Every structure is written in C-alpha cells, then in structure tokens.
Amino acid sequence: MLENKWGLRFVALILALFLFLSVNDVFALFGDNQFNQNDQTVIEDVPVKVIYDDKNLYLTGAPKTVNVKVSGPQSIVKKTESMRDFSVTLDLSNSKIGEYKKKFDVKGISDKLTYEVVPKVANVSLSEKIKETRQVEAEISNSRIATGYELIGKEVDPSQVTIIGGQDEIDKIAYVKATLKDSAKLTKTTSEDAEVNVFDSNLNKLDVSVKPAKVKVNIKIEPTSKTVSITPKKSGQLPDDLKLESLELSESEVKLFGKRSVLDGIGGLAIEVDLSKVTKDTVVKENIPLPKDVTSASPEQVEIKIDVSKK
C-alpha cells in the first residue's frame, strides 16, 4: 500500500511539472524554431516624444508616430511587439531657432535586438512661438441643406480662437474655418461641434495649433419661402341691377414655400373672385392658389370683402 501511495504521488508530481512547463512555454525555448531562428517585424505607430523649448519655440515637421523595425530571437521579438515597452524620442533640448535633421533615440529596447526607425531622421524647424487671435468663419456646405430649406444664419461660439505657431506659418494665414463633420441633411435650426482648421490663400492646411481646437456652430435653418403680393381678380358678372363698389382682401401679401428656383420665378398672385353669385354686400373666403411646385402658403386662405350697390 505504502509503495503504491508514493508511486501515485510521484506520477502526480511528474504530471504537474509537465503542465507547468507547457503552460509557461518552457519547452519552446529548447526548440529549434525559437532557440536558433531569428525573427523580424515592424511595430507600427509608435508615439514620438519630442523634447524642446516649447515655452519659447514652435516646432514643425516632427512626426507624431514612427514605425520601428526589430529583428532578433523570435521570443524577444514577439515579447517586444506585444508589450511595446520601449520609447522613441526626438531630442531637441539644446536646439535654438533654425532647421534640423535629427535622428530618433530609442530607449528601453532589448540589447539582443537590432532595430531601425522608419523614417530614420526627422526634418524639423524651430521658430519663435507667436500667438494671434483670429475670427472663425463657419463653413457649411450647400449639400447639407435639405431640399426646400435654406440657411438663414450661422454663428460660431466662441467667435475667436488663439492660433499658435511660428512666424512663417502665422504670416501665411488666410482663412480660419470651423468645418462641420456631420453629413446629415439639415431641416431645422440646430447646433453642431466643428473642428477649427487654418489655411493659407491656396487652402493648404497650416502647421499651427489652435485653442480651442473645436467650437460650436449654431445653424439657423428655415423652409425656403418668398413673400409675394396678392390682388383680387374678377370673374363672372354681377346681376344687372347691381354695380361693384369695391373688392378688399384681408391680406395684401402671402408667404409661399417651395424650391428657391421655383419661388424666384413668382412675382405675385391673383385671387379669383366669382361675382356671378353675389346679391349683396358679402365676405367670402378663397384658398390661395398654389403655383406648380409650390408646396404651401401662409396664410392658406384670405377673406374678400365685396361691396355692391343698386344701380
């Protein structure tokens, strides 16, 4: 019994040890693929930390990220790729105003690996930091306005932003625009957040910083309309014993709604009044006649006061 008991314990120990080594991939260290074979990979979009006098100088040309190509023992390459436990730095701490071609510094990477930063160097420029306040113009594409509606007004809040950059870039500023990103059709007054971009006279985006980077654009939208005059138009004949003294409309104008191209072609409207049924002073209601492609009118009806007298 005792011998069988210790035998079972020994087998259990061997199994436990085997499982431990398998889970921790220890066997792989002795395999030909890992022990002898090198591997390589490209680690993309590694952030770049730039060190310079950012209080007095403005930097342009430095990439925000780089790719790092690493090669070496496969296990270390895989670990480095997954952990990304290294940093890339562009050190301009002792640099003054001017243009520079600088290599990147990589820190924290295993000395068993060889590496290459892509791109190898950064072409950067340091210039005196300038701050200017500029007015922001909201840019709203006509394609955003739904058919039958029009842009009545737009306001930017805040209306001014601070632009920070080098003197050369500041001097090129021609437009400061709040650009809307949404593409939904606009059918009512609304507000949207917009990113502020700065352009030169050729609409090239300038390498400057903007504070705040986003503003709110208040957009006023109304149905497309046009106000036109209305006049009475007589039709039919009064009875022989009556004569017409006056025709008066309760409104002199009406607002029409529809496409702008249609509305622009309408100068005024005539409201037809049938006199053949009139026998005394009376007030009648008539609908506003809608021209083709006009969707509605306000008001929809008018009152017509008809005064007659005996001959």
Side-chain angles (χ1 to χ4, degrees):
M1 288 288 291
L2 184 61
E3 183 177 342
N4 290 340
K5 181 178 179 181
W6 281 107
L8 289 173
R9 287 180 178 177
F10 179 74
V11 171
L13 176 62
I14 294 299
L15 289 173
L17 182 60
F18 178 81
L19 288 173
F20 172 81
L21 296 176
S22 297
V23 168
N24 289 275
D25 206 23
V26 173
F27 292 120
L29 293 175
F30 300 97
D32 290 339
N33 289 338
Q34 293 281 353
F35 190 73
N36 297 319
Q37 184 176 334
N38 283 347
D39 192 12
Q40 67 176 25
T41 190
V42 176
I43 304 173
E44 298 182 340
D45 299 327
V46 179
V48 176
K49 180 181 179 182
V50 185
I51 304 172
Y52 70 103
D53 180 11
D54 59 352
K55 183 176 290 186
N56 300 302
L57 301 178
Y58 191 80
L59 173 70
T60 57
K64 293 182 179 180
T65 63
V66 292
N67 297 336
V68 180
K69 182 179 179 180
V70 296
S71 60
Q74 191 176 63
S75 60
I76 301 177
V77 168
K78 295 297 184 186
K79 177 178 178 294
T80 303
E81 183 181 21
S82 61
M83 298 294 292
R84 298 171 73 101
D85 52 352
F86 63 93
S87 62
V88 177
T89 303
L90 193 62
D91 191 353
L92 297 161
S93 55
N94 296 319
S95 303
K96 302 189 180 301
I97 294 174
E99 296 183 354
Y100 299 91
K101 192 173 186 177
K102 298 283 289 185
K103 289 185 176 181
F104 297 94
D105 296 324
V106 180
K107 297 179 180 179
I109 204 163
S110 172
D111 57 7
K112 292 186 173 71
L113 297 179
T114 58
Y115 62 84
E116 179 184 342
V117 180
V118 181
K120 291 183 178 180
V121 296
N123 295 306
V124 300
S125 176
L126 286 172
S127 53
E128 182 183 0
K129 179 181 278 188
I130 304 294
K131 292 183 180 180
E132 280 199 7
T133 300
R134 295 289 183 102
Q135 200 79 14
V136 184
E137 176 190 0
E139 186 175 47
I140 303 172
S141 171
N142 289 333
S143 64
R144 290 289 312 275
I145 314 300
T147 302
Y149 294 84
E150 60 187 351
L151 178 67
I152 302 301
K154 53 187 179 181
E155 293 181 353
V156 180
D157 183 24
S159 61
Q160 294 183 327
V161 294
T162 299
I163 301 172
I164 306 167
Q167 187 67 64
D168 289 345
E169 295 293 284
I170 294 293
D171 290 342
K172 295 177 186 176
I173 296 175
Y175 308 102
V176 182
K177 294 182 178 291
T179 307
L180 301 176
K181 294 297 184 183
D182 201 350
S183 59
K185 294 290 186 181
L186 296 171
T187 59
K188 61 181 179 180
T189 295
T190 187
S191 294
E192 291 185 13
D193 290 331
E195 182 180 342
V196 180
N197 292 301
V198 183
F199 303 93
D200 65 14
S201 57
N202 295 317
L203 292 179
N204 297 309
K205 191 174 179 180
L206 296 175
D207 189 357
V208 294
S209 298
V210 182
K211 293 183 179 181
K214 289 186 177 181
V215 295
K216 187 174 290 295
V217 179
N218 301 312
I219 311 162
K220 188 174 182 181
I221 299 291
E222 289 185 359
T224 306
S225 65
K226 181 180 182 180
T227 300
V228 300
S229 60
I230 52 176
T231 54
K233 178 184 178 182
K234 295 181 288 184
S235 69
Q237 298 292 327
L238 285 170
D240 292 340
D241 60 338
L242 294 178
K243 68 176 180 178
L244 182 65
E245 294 293 339
S246 65
L247 284 176
E248 292 183 10
L249 300 180
S250 59
E251 307 285 343
S252 62
E253 295 179 328
V254 65
K255 182 180 283 190
L256 302 179
F257 298 91
K259 291 183 179 179
R260 173 56 59 195
S261 58
V262 174
L263 298 177
D264 286 345
I266 301 173
L269 294 179
I271 310 299
E272 190 171 290
V273 183
D274 185 2
L275 299 177
S276 63
K277 298 177 182 179
V278 176
T279 58
K280 60 180 179 179
D281 291 347
T282 187
V283 175
V284 297
K285 290 184 178 181
E286 293 289 346
N287 291 329
I288 301 296
L290 297 180
K292 184 180 179 181
D293 293 328
V294 172
T295 57
S296 61
S298 178
E300 296 179 346
Q301 287 185 331
V302 291
E303 292 184 344
I304 306 170
K305 183 180 178 183
I306 307 170
D307 288 342
V308 297
S309 61
K310 292 288 185 179
K311 288 184 178 178

